[in-house]
Amino acid sequence: MRSLFRRARGYAVTALLLSCGEDAASPTLDVFHAQPDPAIGSTSFISAASSGADKYAGPGTGAPTNDAETGGEPRTVEEGDIYRVLDGGRILNLNAYRGLQIINVTDPDHPVVEGRLHVSGSPVELYVDGDRAIVLMNDWYGYSGSKYDATYGKEQGGAILLVDLSDRTEPRLVDREVVPGYLRTSRLAVGGGGATVLYATASLWQMYDEASGAAVAVGSGDRTILQSLAVSATGLALETELDLGGAVSDIQASPAALLVARTEWTGAGSTAHVAVIDITDAGGAMVLGADIAVAGRVKNQFGMDLRGDILRVVSEGDGGESMTNHIETFDVADPAHPAAVANLTFGDGESLFATLFVGDTKAFCVTYFRTDPFHAFAINAAGEVTEAGAFVVSGWNDFFRPVFEDRALIGVGVDDANGARDLAVSLYDITDLASLEPLLARAGASVDGAWTEAAWDHRAFSVVEDAVSVVAQDGTAETGLVLLPLSGWKGDGYYAGVRLFTFSESTVTARGFLAHPTPVRRGFLASPGTAAALSDISLGLHDVTSPDAPVARGEVELAPNYSEIVPFGD
């Protein structure tokens, strides 16, 4: 096999061609979204657009909603994050040390925390729906009782909080639901003429008394609990709870179906399953449809995709010399009797990195390799898989984002060419899956030994189209912007902040750097032309209208570190 780069190590980008009938148009997003803070209705964090997945009805009594039935507002599903950009120049932030904060950034030179709700625990994610915030926390403890009681009540575990944001200087706790175990991830469904519904997954383990079989302790680990909660202005109402077993890996969602990947460990090894949950009921009721054993571990949400009646799954096998990766398809038209269609292996002995399904007809996988070969696949409407081609480049990508109406991909990962290890942004042409040279351009962050939260959390970095207007070295106009948080060492010391990259359909250019005093968890646009670097300790704002020379504006401390108390006066 001919490799594009003759090096000892690299990554394989495996292309999957999925022929599923007529090409579906890609969803059109607004020009500006401060990603990863999607507007209601955005599918920024869903690897497959919902049009095909909506066909799944499953055994539930509800039916998918449509524009005609709901006055032009279809039901949509979004993924949470630790922040949201609000209207009126505010940012809602879930801080590990200070709880829920409302930050006023109307004056970028003087941002200020103008409201807060003191909640304790480990942040998971949050959502905003109108004047309400839905906040998910782990390690939460609560007590109840009064001075007249001989005993008190105690609750602990994951907590889902409903917060009133109508007064942004004084957010108010409206309701709380305690979830057993450890919250992992969630999705929020809105619109479509139905209730706003939160779908939340938690991991739970229990220790049992061998004699009686009764549970004697609760923690997290070998069970997956899935809850749906209807969200109103006054409270949270549990609609359905499913105990799926195993430890949840991740979930994927459309307005019609929720895909839940889990792994179970036994003395003989591990087994993995993907459950297809019908969520078409407008009130939030869930019904378990197909529950399918898959060949390997599903690493994250981007390894699952439901189109029509065909479920597609990419998974990674167990480690060792015999490890391989799988692309499988299943017909789930009859949820009670799912039928395996195809199972092809690829990347033997290699670790699976980025995976992304793009529209109805394409998917891409990255494996980090030491030995050939690398494969490309075609999948027809029935789910049958055949080999199509392959290509190889250096390093690896952790995540992909489709750009330019699905004609190209932006990849974020590592370039290890010539023994280096540099965080990099890559641009791939995906119009011709048989191309042996899909890599159009790549630019490195140029920080030795750098690391980024974007290596394991796709929400850490942002890719925004039509955000800037600059020129590449060859004269090509670049309008796209990538904001990549990173930390590392360079020159005389520690280096933390956000590296800017700009891109066109044929070029990628490394631009300026937004310096920050502590490791940045999220890089995003707070407003057009103003970038935000968000860490657990502070929020910094920068003018990025000239990406080569960004200008620091204001910074606000979110969690000051007080090392001592100094008394003075009386």
Side-chain angles (χ1 to χ4, degrees):
M1 175 174 295
R2 184 172 73 89
S3 65
L4 303 183
F5 294 83
R6 298 184 182 277
R7 294 179 172 84
R9 296 178 297 172
Y11 68 80
V13 182
T14 303
L16 314 178
L17 174 61
L18 298 94
S19 301
C20 298
E22 296 181 359
D23 290 347
S26 302
T28 300
L29 303 182
D30 293 339
V31 168
F32 172 75
H33 285 309
Q35 295 187 17
D37 172 36
I40 297 298
S42 169
T43 55
S44 298
F45 298 129
I46 299 176
S47 66
S50 61
S51 57
D54 288 351
K55 297 175 184 176
Y56 179 80
T61 56
T65 58
N66 57 49
D67 292 359
E69 294 171 344
T70 60
E73 184 182 353
R75 193 171 191 238
T76 58
V77 179
E78 64 172 293
E79 183 177 12
D81 201 355
I82 59 173
Y83 79 95
R84 281 290 190 259
V85 176
L86 306 177
D87 58 10
R90 269 69 174 179
I91 296 174
L92 187 65
N93 178 50
L94 185 56
N95 187 269
Y97 304 107
R98 298 295 190 269
L100 188 66
Q101 302 171 314
I102 298 178
I103 308 166
N104 187 330
V105 296
T106 53
D107 180 358
D109 293 318
H110 302 94
V112 61
V113 177
E114 69 175 8
R116 60 171 56 89
L117 177 66
H118 296 286
V119 292
S120 62
S122 303
V124 179
E125 54 203 16
L126 62 80
Y127 300 88
V128 173
D129 181 28
D131 284 332
R132 302 171 293 183
I134 301 101
V135 179
L136 286 75
M137 308 282 290
N138 277 319
D139 306 315
W140 184 87
Y141 291 84
Y143 300 89
S144 60
S146 74
K147 62 182 179 180
Y148 304 107
D149 296 331
T151 61
Y152 63 89
K154 177 182 178 181
E155 295 178 302
Q156 68 183 78
I160 300 172
L161 313 177
L162 180 64
V163 181
D164 182 356
L165 302 177
S166 56
D167 182 350
R168 292 183 174 178
T169 64
E170 294 187 10
R172 179 176 61 89
L173 181 63
V174 175
D175 198 7
R176 177 188 69 239
E177 286 288 334
V178 178
V179 179
Y182 193 85
L183 282 165
R184 296 298 302 276
T185 188
S186 64
R187 294 294 187 273
L188 186 72
V190 298
T196 295
V197 181
L198 178 73
Y199 302 95
T201 58
S203 293
L204 173 71
W205 59 258
Q206 291 182 302
M207 298 175 60
Y208 298 91
D209 179 85
E210 290 186 1
S212 66
V216 296
V218 176
S220 62
D222 67 353
R223 292 168 57 196
T224 292
I225 304 298
L226 174 63
Q227 291 186 343
S228 61
L229 298 99
V231 182
S232 69
T234 57
L236 302 165
L238 178 64
E239 297 295 328
T240 307
E241 180 175 298
L242 300 176
D243 188 342
L244 300 177
V248 62
S249 301
D250 210 341
I251 65 176
Q252 179 64 287
S254 77
L258 189 68
L259 309 178
V260 183
R262 300 106 60 217
T263 304
E264 297 186 45
W265 287 272
T266 65
S270 64
T271 58
H273 289 77
V274 173
V276 182
I277 313 295
D278 178 6
I279 60 170
T280 55
D281 180 73
M286 300 182 295
V287 178
L288 175 62
D291 192 18
I292 299 168
V294 295
R297 182 174 66 93
V298 179
K299 298 192 69 172
N300 57 46
Q301 61 180 286
F302 301 109
M304 298 178 286
D305 184 71
L306 181 63
R307 289 289 165 140
D309 294 326
I310 301 298
L311 172 67
R312 293 93 64 88
V313 179
V314 174
S315 64
E316 181 181 69
D318 292 333
E321 293 296 328
S322 61
M323 182 182 75
T324 191
N325 304 289
H326 301 264
I327 168 71
E328 298 176 90
T329 58
F330 304 88
D331 188 330
V332 295
D334 180 357
H337 302 92
V341 178
N343 179 0
L344 261 67
T345 61
F346 63 97
D348 294 346
E350 303 153 12
S351 296
L352 180 65
F353 283 80
T355 298
L356 185 67
F357 292 93
V358 180
D360 288 339
T361 62
K362 299 175 183 178
F364 299 86
C365 301
V366 172
T367 56
Y368 192 73
F369 79 93
R370 287 170 175 80
T371 59
D372 285 343
F374 302 92
H375 307 274
F377 307 97
I379 305 178
N380 64 19
E384 298 168 333
V385 184
T386 57
E387 185 173 353
F391 44 85
V392 179
V393 292
S394 63
W396 67 86
N397 282 306
D398 293 297
F399 294 105
F400 284 132
R401 294 276 178 87
V403 292
F404 301 120
E405 297 181 336
D406 297 347
R407 294 191 300 273
L409 291 179
I410 287 289
V412 170
V414 170
D415 183 6
D416 65 354
N418 302 318
R421 189 184 184 281
D422 192 17
L423 295 176
V425 170
S426 303
L427 176 71
Y428 299 89
D429 178 3
I430 60 172
T431 57
D432 179 6
L433 295 181
S435 172
L436 292 177
E437 297 184 2
L439 181 63
L440 298 174
R442 171 181 284 170
S446 301
V447 180
D448 293 337
W451 66 93
T452 174
E453 192 164 330
W456 61 87
D457 191 336
H458 64 280
R459 299 169 296 185
F461 70 99
S462 296
V463 178
V464 188
E465 297 187 61
D466 298 316
V468 295
S469 180
V470 291
V471 177
Q473 189 173 7
D474 65 359
T476 302
E478 295 182 332
T479 58
L481 179 66
V482 179
L483 300 96
L484 178 63
L486 59 86
S487 302
W489 298 92
K490 184 175 182 180
D492 57 355
Y494 178 72
Y495 201 67
V498 178
R499 171 67 73 194
L500 302 178
F501 299 83
T502 56
F503 63 92
S504 69
E505 290 201 52
S506 60
T507 61
V508 175
T509 306
R511 302 288 182 175
F513 189 76
L514 315 182
H516 201 75
T518 55
V520 176
R521 300 198 62 195
R522 299 291 188 268
F524 58 95
L525 289 182
S527 63
T530 301
L534 177 65
S535 71
D536 287 331
I537 307 303
S538 64
L539 172 76
L541 298 175
H542 303 258
D543 185 332
V544 295
T545 53
S546 177
D548 280 320
V551 177
R553 303 291 296 271
E555 184 176 338
V556 57
E557 283 190 303
L558 304 177
N561 180 20
Y562 301 110
S563 59
E564 61 179 321
I565 298 175
V566 179
F568 66 96
D570 295 332

